[in-house]
Amino acid sequence: MLDVGKWPVFALLPPEELRLIRQACVFGSAANEAIYITVNDEVFALGTNCSGCLGLGDTQSTIEPRRIDILCGKKIVSLSYGTGPHVVIATADGEVYAWGHNGYSQLGNGTTNHGLTPALVSTNLISKRVKEVACGSHHTIALTTEGEVYAWGYNNSGQVGSGSTANQPTPRRVSSCLQNKVVVNIACGQLCSMAVLDNGETYGWGYNCNGQLGLGNNGNQQTPCRIAALQGINIVQVSCGYAHTLALIDEGFVYSWGANFLMFTKLLLEVAACHTSHTSAAKTQSGQVLMWGQCRGQAVAYPHLTHFTNTDDVFACFATPAVTWHLLSVDGDDYLTVAQSLKREFDSPEISDLKFLVDGKCIHVHKALLKIRCEHFRALLNETDEETIEIHQFSYLVYRAFLEYLYTDTINLPPEDAIGLLDLATYYRESRLKRLCQETIKRGITEENAITLLSAAVKYEARDLEEFCFKFCVNHLTAVTQTQAFADMDHDLLKNFISKASRYGAFKN
């Protein structure tokens, strides 16, 4: 089974989060950016966020995953990236979204402004269903379900196939000798593009100084050109490296051309290359994985047998940078632990039998679980068979966090909101939840919110937390006394605070 944890960018993700990943892509000049999709079709990103390539709406780096809300639930079927970097995806509905670096119009929106959030690529694609996308360094191509190829972006070597070297600001159909032909597979090198037809013919266009188009020369091509040397050979998959190309034929053999030409005779199931590196890999029909090219700076001239079980591991461990050569798919066994199953069903209306109405919003839960997890609900639900219960004394945010805690054993709230949850925990006599709230507040205390947190600790009779907040205030007395919260402090609490602080010697010179 593919282990995404082999990529360093995922090293800080806890095991339970890694187990939820079903698709992933690692990219960037140092393999320091990543996007992944969970079993629930939620999409997250983390990394350095160069040119806004994480699609989070800003250019701030993040060591912790952040959700890309606009893509959640979209069901991504294809993803590719450039070296800017820019990122392009195709969804199960055939839509194309793009974001990130756009200095050469590689986002296809007609501008050269970087895109900080995923935006629909609509020009000339609005009535098309795209099933596959591929990116070169700064250009993009897309394959539709009808077998048409569209291209846009950087075109200095003719890589968009338009017949010129002018950059292409929006998607344009690649026609020429592809007109009336059905394309089934596409790939991009740094500055070139490749296409495989349903009859096995292969076409290339763009940069060709290393012979990566396989045309028998090293002249650039501004429109698609058929690889005559493969006449009568049925190609089923093509993959491009930085300056070389690999083509798998239906009989399991591979042809290669471009920089460092190589050919070997093992029967293969898959060939792998990435336009950002000089590394190549292949998987044989017997399950062996081979690698060659530049492997962690070492030149491997001939296919080297590895202990890996998939070609993705070659790129995780030996490519420079350690990016993914395609969108990873983790073939999970669909097994979830009890804890994961419960977490997945929280606030899911499909099989719930009870809902709470808080601030006009519904939270869907299961009576049996609430009875098992909370004495308050055990008593309440034994006395009522209502399907909807209205809650008025707590906010939606707090009450949802409480119910989610019953499903997950964890809370995820900022310290100021954890105060409200602390109130609820006290009311429902949930001692463990009360401790978790106190820990959350302790971790999040600042000079600005210290008095607010101290007031809450006193109100909810959380003695340990009160002592912690008090000592924090004394240790940061000058800054704390200058806050608005201190100015608005309850008179009796202020009096007690000053008296206690005096006993601690806080006001001595």
Side-chain angles (χ1 to χ4, degrees), residues 206-258:
Y207 188 76
N208 192 36
C209 286
N210 294 106
Q212 53 263 66
L213 299 185
L215 303 176
N217 60 55
N218 58 3
N220 295 346
Q221 296 291 322
Q222 296 178 7
T223 57
C225 186
R226 184 173 64 85
I227 302 177
L230 297 178
Q231 176 71 35
I233 296 174
N234 189 26
I235 301 296
V236 294
Q237 183 212 341
V238 66
S239 190
C240 296
Y242 184 91
H244 71 286
T245 305
L246 305 173
L248 182 65
I249 70 174
D250 58 351
E251 296 175 350
F253 296 107
V254 66
Y255 285 83
S256 64
W257 55 90

Side-chain angles (χ1 to χ4, degrees), residues 67-85:
R67 194 188 339 262
I68 310 178
D69 291 326
I70 193 174
L71 297 183
C72 291
K74 288 289 184 184
K75 295 189 181 299
I76 297 172
V77 296
S78 181
L79 183 153
S80 190
Y81 56 87
T83 55

Side-chain angles (χ1 to χ4, degrees), residues 101-252:
H101 192 280
N102 195 35
Y104 300 92
S105 300
Q106 58 264 49
L107 301 187
N109 59 17
T111 77
T112 55
N113 301 321
H114 296 337
L116 300 183
T117 56
L120 186 66
V121 183
S122 57
T123 303
N124 295 331
L125 295 179
I126 200 68
S127 61
K128 303 294 181 180
R129 290 176 62 90
V130 170
K131 65 177 184 178
E132 186 179 357
V133 292
C135 296
S137 62
H138 297 92
H139 77 287
T140 307
I141 62 177
L143 175 62
T144 71
T145 54
E146 297 172 330
E148 300 171 336
V149 177
Y150 287 78
W152 60 93
Y154 195 34
N155 193 36
N156 68 325
S157 302
Q159 55 265 48
V160 302
S162 62
S164 75
T165 55
N167 292 347
Q168 180 61 39
T170 55
R172 175 192 173 279
R173 172 113 185 254
V174 181
S175 52
S176 183
C177 54
L178 292 185
Q179 190 77 33
N180 301 321
K181 291 182 170 65
V182 177
V183 176
V184 295
N185 179 230
I186 56 173
C188 287
Q190 274 277 301
L191 299 168
C192 68
S193 306
M194 304 293 298
V196 179
L197 304 189
D198 59 350
N199 64 3
E201 291 182 350
T202 304
Y203 288 74
W205 61 97
Y207 188 76
N208 192 36
C209 286
N210 294 106
Q212 53 263 66
L213 299 185
L215 303 176
N217 60 55
N218 58 3
N220 295 346
Q221 296 291 322
Q222 296 178 7
T223 57
C225 186
R226 184 173 64 85
I227 302 177
L230 297 178
Q231 176 71 35
I233 296 174
N234 189 26
I235 301 296
V236 294
Q237 183 212 341
V238 66
S239 190
C240 296
Y242 184 91
H244 71 286
T245 305
L246 305 173
L248 182 65
I249 70 174
D250 58 351
E251 296 175 350

